[in-house]
Amino acid sequence: MIPQSFEYFRPQSISEAIALLQEHGDGAKILSGGQSLIPMMKIRLARPECIIDINRLADLHYVKEEADFLKIGGLTREADLETSDLIRSKYPIILDTAASIADPQVRNMATVGGNLAHGDPANDHPATMLALEAEIVAVGQHGERIIPIKDFFRSVFTTALEHGEILTEIRIPIPPAGSGGAYFKLERKVGDFATVGVAAQVTLDGAGVCQRAGIGLTNVGATPIKATRAEGFLVGKTMDKQQIDQAAQLAAEEAQPSSDLRGPAEYKVSMVRELTKRALVRACERAVR
């Protein structure tokens, strides 16, 4: 199949893009990397009447630390994360995540902002951003607002972005010393969506006691899941095998998978348990380096 006909616009500024969204109403869609929207248009699961291509908005391409946050522009490509010295040296959990997405051809086009704004519960970045307690910056006709990532995902393909808003930035609190994170993904073949994905971020004191834990789950519910019970259990505990195993069990109990072509629900729950163990062990190893 091919997409239905549509109008195409290529704004030169964020304000122009927002004005176009307002003008064309619910029939308008933002195009960033296009790696989710275009395939859906080809099979007519998405039928926008108007495409607003924001790829010329150079101000939305960046990765930097500023004012106690890691800031990632909404149009930053997955490949930019892979090659960023800042990400490679200080944020291995984000490098894990970006490198696991599809293949190099897709990563050269796909954007971090698009991955989040699409609202697909099978995408990889949502779990990692939940573990890192990120914030989403959205800009619309009434100005800028900040959305905590825990409030961002509403249902399948639905986020807290209002019509007329554009995701312009992801903000992540810079982790303190003694922090580490990891993302693990089970997939049927290289480049596939996750059967299960788990992101874990921890902060340890000098004695190996957990001061903070973040755990995000991918593709085991209608939205990405923040495993709050598992996170709360770990705080104040020494990160030994017993505590990690118990946290992994709690994370598995928080998963809400459905049976599908990637496997039965029971299998996915067991994989959440296993991948949570692996992610926490790797996160702890990185935290003490």
Side-chain angles (χ1 to χ4, degrees), residues 225-243:
I225 293 172
K226 186 169 176 62
T228 54
R229 288 177 57 208
E231 293 172 347
F233 170 80
L234 286 171
V235 174
K237 306 285 198 317
T238 301
M239 295 291 285
D240 57 25
K241 182 179 184 303
Q242 180 180 352
Q243 308 302 343

Side-chain angles (χ1 to χ4, degrees), residues 13 30 61 91 93 128 132 135 144 192 202 204 209 232 234 241-242 245 247 250 261 283:
S13 67
I30 291 290
H61 293 261
Y91 300 90
I93 185 175
T128 295
L132 290 168
E135 298 174 343
E144 178 183 289
D192 192 13
V202 299
L204 308 180
V209 175
L234 286 171
K241 182 179 184 303
Q242 180 180 352
D245 286 352
L250 290 171
L261 294 175

Side-chain angles (χ1 to χ4, degrees), residues 128-186:
T128 295
M129 297 305 167
L130 283 168
L132 290 168
E133 297 186 349
E135 298 174 343
I136 300 300
V137 180
V139 175
Q141 63 173 336
H142 301 300
E144 178 183 289
R145 68 187 182 110
I146 297 175
I147 309 166
I149 194 69
K150 64 182 178 63
D151 300 326
F152 187 69
F153 303 105
R154 298 289 177 83
S155 64
V156 179
F157 299 121
T158 303
T159 71
L161 288 174
E162 297 175 356
H163 184 76
E165 287 187 323
I166 297 173
L167 190 160
T168 58
E169 184 176 83
I170 302 100
R171 294 179 183 172
I172 298 165
I174 296 175
S179 297
Y183 178 70
F184 278 84
K185 172 181 179 178
L186 174 67

